[in-house]
Amino acid sequence: MIPRIRGFSMASATLAAAMLLGTAVWAQAPRTPSPAGAKVYFLSPADGAVVKGPVKVVMGLSGMGVAPAGVDIGNTGHHHILVNAPAGMKMDMNAALPADSVHRHFGLGQTETTLALPPGKHTLQLLLGDKGHVPHDPPVMSEKITITVEP
């Protein structure tokens, strides 16, 4: 019989401790370096474009290669699109990017996608992530573009 401590079994406590330890070790790992001159950019849409939805987005990368999340190959990463990121939004460049309505992940190595955006103005920005969704050092990030989606 596994002893229980305050409602948790020893197995649960051991698993929780291992997860926390693993997270602490992962968080302390050095960021993946990016090569000098690496750039990420939008092939489409163009800055200032007026488009009908859904919006086809094609992502470009030079000076590096694309690899899925979890794959550890030097000078590679995978795309993330920041959609309508608030001005002045602070990002922890030492942590994995969150997965939410602002931070869109393309961890399978995708270089194009279709975004369902409501009519109106939207900002898009690309940020390359390493095998663990952490931005490279220095970050490989595009300029922010603005598009207008028509109904």
Side-chain angles (χ1 to χ4, degrees):
M1 179 169 171
I2 297 175
R4 298 184 74 68
I5 301 173
R6 293 188 179 183
F8 293 99
S9 69
M10 285 300 280
S12 296
T14 302
L15 177 60
M19 289 172 55
L20 287 173
L21 179 59
T23 301
V25 170
W26 183 264
Q28 294 173 359
R31 285 174 49 200
T32 304
S34 61
K39 293 182 182 171
V40 66
Y41 50 89
F42 290 98
L43 291 167
S44 70
D47 187 28
V50 177
V51 298
K52 292 233 181 236
V55 180
K56 182 175 181 179
V57 176
V58 182
M59 301 165 264
L61 177 64
S62 65
M64 293 181 74
V66 174
V71 175
D72 190 9
I73 299 174
N75 295 330
T76 66
H78 64 277
H79 294 287
H80 297 86
I81 301 177
L82 307 180
V83 179
N84 298 323
M89 180 181 79
K90 301 285 185 203
M91 290 195 314
D92 182 355
M93 293 294 185
N94 295 308
L97 294 166
D100 55 27
S101 63
V102 172
H103 305 85
R104 311 283 178 96
H105 290 246
F106 299 92
L108 297 178
Q110 304 97 309
T111 58
E112 62 181 61
T113 191
T114 303
L115 297 176
L117 299 172
K121 285 195 177 220
H122 299 277
T123 62
L124 305 174
Q125 189 171 27
L126 291 169
L127 176 57
L128 206 65
D130 70 5
K131 64 187 175 294
H133 302 282
V134 178
H136 291 78
D137 187 18
V140 180
M141 184 176 238
S142 74
E143 294 295 322
K144 197 178 273 193
I145 66 168
T146 301
I147 63 169
T148 302
V149 177
E150 292 185 331

